[in-house]
Amino acid sequence: MLDDFMTRATLAGIGVSLAAAPLGCFIVWRRMAYFGEATAHSALLGVALSLTFEFSVLAGAVLVSLLMSISVTLMAGRSLFLDTLLGVAGHTSIAAGLVLVSFLSGVRIDLMAYLIGDILAVSHMDLLLIWIGVGTILSLIIWRWSPLLLVTLNEDLASANGFNPKRENFIITIALAIVVAVGIKVVGVLLIIALLIIPAASARSIATTPEAMGFFAALIGASSALFGINAAYIFDTPTGPSIVCAASLFFIALSLVSSFLKRKKHN
Amino acid sequence: MKLIEITDLSVQYGSKLILQNINLSLADGEIVTIVGPNGSGKTTLFKAIIGTAPINTGTLKIRPNLKIGYVPQQLIIDKTLPITVERFLKVAQKTNVKTLANAMNLVGTEDLLTFQMNNLSGGELQRVLLARALIAQPDVLLLDEATRGLDQPGVATFYRMVDGIRKNTNCAILMISHDLHVVMGASDRVICLNGHICCEGAPNSVASSPEYQALFGSEVDGTFALYRHHHDHNHHTDNERE
């Protein structure tokens, strides 16, 4: 069954979406969209380094993303605000990555595969690594769900209840770096932020509790992967962008329905 | 041992010294009020106690396993985060039906349970925050300007509630307040803070100290000074009205 490239692609897509969506809720609640984007961009430098020095792309992406997000977090607030620093670090990484790859003239590298993903080329090994990453992220999020939620609501409240806000924030940073790394094969560094943000934003209009929002986001994310991959197969379109377009359709549909229902309620 | 014992504490953010030479302790069941002008480090002192402010020098001893109920000055929940009052009360703290019911009964929030946090009025939000703090069955309550945004009757109701809580649960209360004329009477001790502790003691002695009057004398001439006028000593403030 796993020998079929479509099956592998579908399993990879669903896996990454499932992990990205609940994490994406925290990214949305904490207004970290730009942080997520910069983390994803910096992964490209990790990819370039791993191609240059011939080690695992996944490890390269995780390491450079983590290094970027940690150093930016430590530097923030001294003389520049976080969003400026993220802009500097994220775009420096993506530019440096592209420059670095240009030196690798001996090897033909399809950069597009890293920018927007190459899900149809997911190997058995890739699939295994993706699902290890997915399992890690989901376990982290489920295990720390309540403390993470409390820290998101108010750091002082969390601290008074005996939780360490810095530690909980670090868990988000780590999960983000892993999701970016496993998402490279699926939607690439340019679009992974979409799998974090769009399902969460879509779920907002139908959820009344944080847990429901996380659950709906995962459902919407996985459905987007399923629809997107099949649509890409039928219409012969690039797969990663098709998944993101499917998610956007969910967002538009759910936003329209919920605003229609609200108006009806008011009348 | 005391619930909280602070010795020669100073807190510094970057190069800015916010608090220095703070000595403070809190015993079981005590109500202590901290007053001080804006920017005097009141909230920072609370943050030091709950562990989110960097302690520069000095020591802050908290009795082991001390349960702290913290009511922040305000709580802004992002509009993208849907959460009902019931869920908020239960986030990351163990509770049972009885504790939950007791806490809500005490602050009168039973009928708010299914409301979204973002749809609460200022007064309702304060009561929910207090209910959350009480669910932890705290040994000490930290109230940071908990009556912000309440009208006069609301403030009076709030302090009656706090008084009721102490009678029912015997937890100590450390509060920051601007409602000088109201809180002074209800406190065992008042601490006047302005980066350092200017003066402290029983409400009467603090109110009549020159340090306190230097800070608040003119600011509250309308309410507080009038309220205190039956005392026979002289206040020596320029703005005092007879």
Side-chain angles (χ1 to χ4, degrees):
Chain A
M1 187 185 91
L2 287 178
D3 288 337
D4 177 24
F5 74 95
M6 276 296 281
T7 312
R8 289 199 301 271
T10 308
L11 286 175
I14 289 179
V16 171
S17 311
L18 274 183
L23 176 62
C25 290
F26 285 104
I27 305 296
V28 169
W29 296 334
R30 301 158 68 103
R31 304 196 178 184
M32 287 171 70
Y34 197 54
F35 189 94
E37 185 154 305
T39 305
H41 285 172
S42 57
L44 193 76
L45 180 60
V47 170
L49 285 171
S50 64
L51 292 174
T52 311
F53 299 105
E54 293 175 348
F55 61 96
S56 149
V57 169
L58 215 59
V62 170
L63 284 179
V64 176
S65 304
L66 268 184
L67 210 64
M68 192 287 299
S69 42
I70 292 170
S71 48
V72 161
T73 310
L74 290 178
M75 276 159 65
R78 295 214 179 140
S79 59
L80 291 168
F81 284 110
L82 186 62
D83 62 337
T84 309
L85 284 169
L86 286 171
V88 172
H91 292 103
T92 302
S93 305
I94 209 164
L98 293 171
V99 168
L100 196 57
V101 167
S102 74
F103 288 121
L104 301 172
S105 51
V107 203
R108 233 191 96 247
I109 287 159
D110 182 12
L111 260 184
M112 281 302 263
Y114 297 104
L115 291 174
I116 63 163
D118 189 10
I119 194 174
L120 299 181
V122 165
S123 67
H124 286 89
M125 191 59 191
D126 291 332
L127 194 58
L128 179 70
L129 289 173
I130 286 173
W131 273 92
I132 289 175
V134 170
T136 311
I137 297 161
L138 283 177
S139 325
L140 269 178
I141 297 281
I142 292 169
W143 172 48
R144 301 309 299 170
W145 181 269
S146 288
L148 281 174
L149 187 58
L150 191 56
V151 169
T152 302
L153 287 162
N154 186 296
E155 294 201 352
D156 292 333
L157 274 182
S159 193
N161 272 37
F163 299 106
N164 181 350
K166 280 191 182 132
R167 191 181 104 155
E168 306 301 332
N169 290 340
F170 189 56
I171 286 173
I172 297 273
T173 309
I174 290 177
L176 198 55
I178 301 176
V179 98
V180 164
V182 298
I184 289 179
K185 233 359 211 240
V186 175
V187 286
V189 297
L190 290 185
L191 290 178
I192 180 67
I193 190 70
L195 285 192
L196 287 158
I197 304 289
I198 300 177
S202 315
R204 171 64 185 100
S205 54
I206 48 173
T208 54
T209 61
E211 290 73 24
M213 185 162 152
F215 177 77
F216 288 139
L219 207 63
I220 293 166
S223 314
S224 307
L226 202 61
F227 287 132
I229 291 168
N230 282 295
Y233 184 74
I234 296 167
F235 301 113
D236 192 25
T237 49
T239 317
S242 303
I243 295 175
V244 174
C245 286
S248 306
L249 287 177
F250 273 109
F251 176 75
I252 294 167
L254 286 170
S255 304
L256 286 177
V257 168
S258 85
S259 66
F260 174 74
L261 288 177
K262 258 182 209 148
R263 193 164 300 169
K264 213 172 152 192
K265 217 170 156 185
H266 282 298
N267 285 344
Chain B
M1 131 179 218
K2 297 270 178 100
L3 301 178
I4 298 170
E5 275 185 61
I6 298 173
T7 323
D8 294 328
L9 177 87
S10 72
V11 174
Q12 194 170 351
Y13 281 106
S15 57
K16 203 173 169 208
L17 194 60
I18 311 284
L19 288 173
Q20 55 179 323
N21 300 328
I22 305 292
N23 288 290
L24 173 93
S25 67
L26 190 69
D28 278 293
E30 216 180 358
I31 296 192
V32 175
T33 298
I34 300 170
V35 297
N38 288 333
S40 59
K42 303 185 297 289
T43 298
T44 304
L45 179 58
F46 271 21
K47 286 186 185 232
I49 294 171
I50 59 175
T52 53
I55 291 172
N56 212 34
T57 56
T59 56
L60 194 153
K61 276 191 222 151
I62 302 222
R63 196 170 73 186
N65 303 319
L66 184 78
K67 280 199 204 130
I68 298 177
Y70 174 60
V71 178
Q73 205 175 98
Q74 56 180 346
L75 181 77
I76 299 164
I77 297 179
D78 200 275
K79 281 226 185 319
T80 57
L81 175 48
I83 186 164
T84 58
V85 169
E86 182 171 11
R87 181 70 190 110
F88 173 77
L89 292 174
K90 291 177 178 168
V91 172
Q93 55 183 4
K94 287 194 192 95
T95 179
N96 53 45
V97 180
K98 205 177 149 219
T99 326
L100 193 70
N102 279 345
M104 286 183 310
N105 206 1
L106 219 49
V107 299
T109 48
E110 301 97 327
D111 42 350
L112 296 176
L113 277 186
T114 57
F115 280 48
Q116 284 288 310
M117 287 293 287
N118 265 319
N119 294 338
L120 298 181
S121 72
E124 287 167 341
L125 181 63
Q126 284 305 338
R127 284 189 288 147
V128 169
L129 285 172
L130 189 57
R132 186 186 150 86
L134 291 176
I135 286 168
Q137 297 183 295
D139 307 305
V140 54
L141 261 183
L142 301 183
L143 308 177
D144 189 352
E145 290 184 40
T147 56
R148 235 172 81 114
L150 300 188
D151 56 11
Q152 285 290 28
V155 171
T157 313
F158 188 86
Y159 286 113
R160 268 200 297 278
M161 237 154 55
V162 169
D163 206 40
I165 289 163
R166 179 174 62 164
K167 281 191 185 115
N168 287 329
T169 65
N170 194 39
C171 79
I173 296 171
L174 184 61
M175 60 181 163
I176 293 171
S177 180
H178 278 314
D179 310 311
L180 300 176
H181 52 295
V182 185
V183 297
M184 289 297 231
S187 310
D188 298 322
R189 247 182 329 137
V190 174
I191 292 171
C192 181
L193 191 71
N194 192 15
H196 60 283
I197 293 179
C198 305
C199 54
E200 64 172 307
N204 282 340
S205 70
V206 169
S208 56
S209 76
E211 294 91 345
Y212 178 85
Q213 304 218 336
L215 284 172
F216 292 104
S218 58
E219 218 178 277
V220 291
D221 59 348
T223 48
F224 186 66
L226 280 173
Y227 176 73
R228 286 271 148 197
H229 261 193
H230 56 273
H231 282 266
D232 51 1
H233 55 259
N234 200 334
H235 288 258
H236 298 300
T237 50
D238 296 339
N239 295 324
E240 200 171 339
R241 287 175 221 145
E242 292 300 329

